[in-house]
Amino acid sequence: MCGIIGYVGGRPCQELIVQGLERLEYRGYDSAGFALLDGPGHGFALVRAVGNLSKLRAASESLNGASVATTGLGHTRWATHGRVTEANAHPHLSGDGRVAVVMNGIIENYMELRRELQDGGVVFHSETDTEVLPHLIARAYQGDLVEAIRAVIPMIAGHYAFVAAHADEPGRLVGTRFECPLVVGVGTDESFLASAIPAFLHETREIINLDDGDIVVLDADGVHVLTADGASAPHPVERVEWDEDAAEKGGYDTFMLKEIHEQPAALWDTIGDRLRDNGSVIIDELGLDDAALARVERIHIVACGTSFHAGLIGRYLIEDWARVPVHIEVASEYRYRTCLAGPGDLVIGITQSGETADTLAAMRVARERGAHVVALTNIMGSQATRDADGALYTRAGLEIGVAATKTHTAQVMALALLALKLGRLKWALTEAGATDLAEDLRRVPDLIEAYLASDGPAKVAEVAQRYRDREFFLYLGRHVGVPVCFEGALKLKEISYIPTEAYPAGEMKHGPIALLEEGSPVVVVAPDGHVFDKVISNIQEVKARGARVIAVATQGNRQISQHVDDVLWTPKTPALLSALTTVVPLQLFAYELATARGLNVDQPRNLAKTVTVE
């Protein structure tokens, strides 16, 4: 979750560090800080502040721009251990002030280490797990920061990425990672270390992806990667071709709104050259040839949050088109149950970042059991792709908004492509049927683009204004509309903080209907399809309790308006593919409600873009 940035080079780096943190703020924004190292004989200039990066900028004015430091490291925090206070903000220093450390992740045995250090006379100044690291490094230091870190790594348990500097070694940073992201940016006579590429994308596109256990040294001689035992471990330098504008708002008020409008492009790119006119699908990275994929008899999907909802939709697609049974579970629960996946099974771990800790752990459990594991992710070279046997990439581009939008629909599209491929391999679809589905899939991006360019979003904003003061929403749907409801309700909770319940409409009578009273708003996903009449019956049930119903319905449906108070229209698609179109007005509805309430949709409280801790 937390964001790390480090720099070694020839330029004064204060502004480079702060700008890098601003580009990482989506990873955490409850506090931030940086430490600069001016040179031999100098200690660290340390600046920390509670709040977003504007607070850190204000606090850094105390330096008056006087620092000429060319070595520095910074951090933007999402709190796990310790309250949101300046004392708990990173970087953390050793007791003698000679070591500075920033970390993302969790040191699971920190209490044991803390007690041991305190018994030796160390005084702690924070409640964080991270603070044990500078004290351990200072204790192990004998003139070589690399060797001190090598000595400390076996002492710590957990998952982490951290970067350290020592005042006696200006011009050097040393970092390491284990199950948390850390990437190197290679510039001309300068180097960067960061949790994610956007931190330094403005400065260089040349990167080195690190492996678990690597120790990376940045100094005047460049970048050196070592193994845990100190041996040289050269890594290739790769070039990132991302569009830098993707990290900016591009004229939109927020990243979230920009990314909602980028969904057609994300869907087109995810389809790309994979889909043929005859309905055949080419996916090269799965790690299974067509013959092996055709033999798969059972699929497990593990994911969290929005990715889990995409997986639920994928289950409908795969079971309908390929007739392969799909088991799906929240990754944080899957890892602690008896794993029944094994040889011959396909396990798909869905994680937009490729870093989600629970999903990674679930994938590892399945792989240990002999299943073939595929990572469905948006990030090439991410930890998920390294842990898996194969990959299925979305091509959504960089997503900054904490509330996922374009990555969700891109995940659904990727699963649709896999379902179509399986359907043909299993002979569950005829060539004619697959050809028709291919045409339907290709139409979806254009339909969403046309919807976003129509008066549909304005209608959503108008309806949202009418319900801006309501303190509870119930979301209902049937069939593939159920996971759409789950996702729409999650978006509302994430960015508007309004208590929201989402339920299969047929289950409403088994409890949730008790929550309704006169005027309660109920959002019903009601596209055309074989369950439409059932949905109408459920609408009548909530209307009889005095609820006000907002329906998400198919453009041209003449019946729905007779039964509801407001309609958010969506383009006409086959029933299963309505999961891609009906979610868009729900994203906009959550967005408009949150902005009407004066909330920051890009930085919802207590949330971070990437959950790298259990």
Side-chain angles (χ1 to χ4, degrees):
M1 293 192 219
C2 305
I4 291 171
I5 178 71
Y7 174 85
V8 171
R11 290 190 279 171
C13 65
Q14 177 179 331
E15 184 60 21
L16 290 171
I17 295 291
V18 175
Q19 288 181 358
L21 291 176
E22 288 172 339
R23 296 186 181 100
L24 291 176
E25 196 171 14
Y26 65 94
R27 297 181 67 91
Y29 37 81
D30 57 41
S31 59
F34 61 80
L36 307 176
L37 188 55
D38 282 334
H42 295 271
F44 290 98
L46 178 66
V47 179
R48 298 183 297 186
V50 172
N52 61 26
L53 265 294
S54 65
K55 305 294 191 210
L56 183 66
R57 276 199 174 277
S60 68
E61 291 176 2
S62 62
L63 299 179
N64 297 317
S67 175
V68 294
T70 58
T71 302
L73 66 173
H75 186 274
T76 182
R77 183 174 186 244
W78 189 87
T80 54
H81 291 68
R83 295 166 296 166
V84 179
T85 65
E86 185 175 323
N88 288 333
H90 298 217
H92 290 289
L93 302 183
S94 58
D96 60 6
R98 308 300 286 172
V99 179
V101 173
V102 293
M103 187 190 81
N104 171 31
I106 289 179
I107 305 298
E108 293 174 354
N109 61 335
Y110 85 101
M111 287 301 296
E112 173 189 337
L113 294 168
R114 185 181 180 111
R115 284 192 295 268
E116 178 193 337
L117 289 162
Q118 287 173 326
D119 290 345
V122 172
V123 176
F124 281 76
H125 300 282
S126 80
E127 305 165 305
T128 69
D129 54 337
T130 301
E131 196 185 350
V132 300
L133 289 175
H135 296 305
L136 290 171
I137 293 169
R139 187 177 69 176
Y141 187 76
Q142 295 182 358
D144 189 325
L145 182 58
V146 175
E147 290 305 310
I149 288 175
R150 284 188 57 218
V152 166
I153 289 172
M155 302 178 191
I156 59 178
H159 47 278
Y160 52 80
F162 69 83
V163 179
H166 198 291
D168 293 348
E169 298 184 40
R172 169 173 280 195
L173 293 177
V174 181
T176 188
R177 57 156 290 174
F178 181 71
E179 296 182 2
C180 282
L182 194 64
V183 63
V184 179
V186 181
T188 303
D189 299 323
E190 61 184 7
S191 305
F192 300 80
L193 263 176
S195 297
I197 294 168
F200 53 71
L201 187 60
H202 184 70
E203 308 299 331
T204 181
R205 295 177 178 273
E206 306 296 320
I207 69 163
I208 296 174
N209 280 305
L210 301 173
D211 295 323
D212 278 350
D214 282 343
I215 298 171
V216 61
V217 184
L218 274 59
D219 57 24
D221 295 329
V223 178
H224 305 277
V225 182
L226 310 173
T227 62
D229 61 7
S232 179
H235 281 39
V237 177
E238 304 171 39
R239 182 168 179 82
V240 175
E241 298 297 345
W242 290 357
D243 180 1
E244 190 180 328
D245 289 341
E248 304 300 334
K249 293 179 183 174
Y252 290 91
D253 291 336
T254 64
F255 284 115
M256 183 179 177
L257 187 60
K258 171 177 177 276
E259 288 155 6
I260 288 172
H261 282 262
E262 287 176 340
Q263 287 178 109
L267 292 173
W268 265 122
D269 289 345
T270 297
I271 294 171
D273 57 356
R274 293 164 164 166
L275 186 58
R276 302 293 188 265
D277 289 341
N278 66 355
S280 63
V281 178
I282 308 299
I283 306 174
D284 294 326
E285 308 96 345
L286 291 176
L288 288 172
D289 60 25
D290 284 356
L293 190 58
R295 290 194 295 270
V296 168
E297 296 297 331
R298 186 170 58 169
I299 294 174
H300 299 245
I301 296 176
V302 291
C304 300
T306 287
S307 295
F308 176 73
H309 301 154
L312 287 171
I313 297 167
R315 177 174 66 182
Y316 283 93
L317 297 168
I318 293 169
E319 291 185 342
D320 191 272
W321 296 352
R323 297 296 193 265
V324 177
V326 178
H327 171 75
I328 178 166
E329 189 160 356
V330 173
S332 56
E333 292 299 317
Y334 185 88
R335 62 186 293 194
Y336 293 115
R337 291 182 59 226
T338 300
C339 178
L340 298 181
D345 291 343
L346 174 62
V347 174
I348 304 171
I350 310 178
T351 159
Q352 69 85 19
S353 65
E355 302 172 18
T356 308
D358 288 313
T359 304
L360 294 176
M363 291 165 60
R364 289 172 189 140
V365 168
R367 199 170 186 217
E368 288 168 2
R369 294 277 299 177
H372 185 89
V373 177
V374 168
L376 198 172
T377 182
N378 196 43
I379 306 297
M380 296 184 70
S382 61
Q383 188 65 43
T385 64
R386 302 183 199 192
D387 288 351
D389 300 297
L392 175 55
Y393 291 108
T394 55
R395 298 163 178 170
L398 187 62
E399 186 177 68
I400 298 295
V402 170
T405 52
K406 65 177 180 175
T407 54
H408 169 73
T409 48
Q411 287 168 348
V412 174
M413 181 60 79
L415 288 167
L417 294 173
L418 179 61
L420 183 54
K421 182 177 182 68
L422 276 167
R424 289 296 290 129
L425 291 174
K426 293 282 190 180
W427 296 95
L429 291 172
T430 65
E431 182 172 341
T435 299
D436 289 343
L437 284 173
E439 292 176 0
D440 291 334
L441 285 172
R442 285 198 184 91
R443 277 197 292 268
V444 168
D446 290 339
L447 290 172
I448 295 176
E449 185 173 54
Y451 168 78
L452 290 169
S454 72
D455 62 356
K459 173 65 173 177
V460 173
E462 175 189 325
V463 173
Q465 282 290 339
R466 288 202 287 275
Y467 295 90
R468 60 182 292 179
D469 297 323
R470 301 304 174 95
E471 296 304 322
F472 170 76
F473 283 78
L474 178 64
Y475 279 59
L476 299 174
R478 281 183 176 267
H479 198 246
V480 77
V482 174
V484 174
C485 282
F486 291 163
E487 176 60 14
L490 178 62
K491 287 292 154 283
L492 193 65
K493 285 182 277 194
E494 283 180 317
I495 63 174
S496 73
Y497 321 141
I498 298 173
T500 308
E501 186 76 81
Y503 247 78
E507 288 292 291
M508 171 189 56
K509 296 183 290 296
H510 296 273
I513 198 167
L515 297 170
L516 299 181
E517 57 189 20
E518 190 69 32
S520 294
V522 178
V523 179
V524 180
V525 176
D528 292 354
H530 67 288
V531 295
F532 178 78
D533 290 342
K534 297 293 185 182
V535 173
I536 292 297
S537 295
N538 297 133
I539 290 173
Q540 293 297 339
E541 290 168 345
V542 300
K543 290 289 287 183
R545 273 75 183 175
R548 294 185 61 82
V549 177
I550 306 161
V552 180
T554 304
Q555 187 73 44
N557 185 303
R558 298 180 180 179
Q559 185 180 356
I560 190 71
S561 297
Q562 304 169 27
H563 302 283
V564 303
D565 298 281
D566 295 286
V567 183
L568 307 179
W569 298 108
T570 60
K572 186 175 182 61
T573 63
L576 281 174
L577 297 186
S578 69
L580 283 161
T581 55
T582 52
V583 75
V584 178
L586 294 183
Q587 293 168 347
L588 289 166
F589 186 68
Y591 177 88
E592 295 294 349
L593 268 174
T595 54
R597 293 162 75 102
L599 300 172
N600 185 339
V601 300
D602 285 338
Q603 297 179 357
R605 70 186 182 202
N606 302 331
L607 298 179
K609 183 65 178 171
T610 306
V611 182
T612 58
V613 296
E614 182 180 352

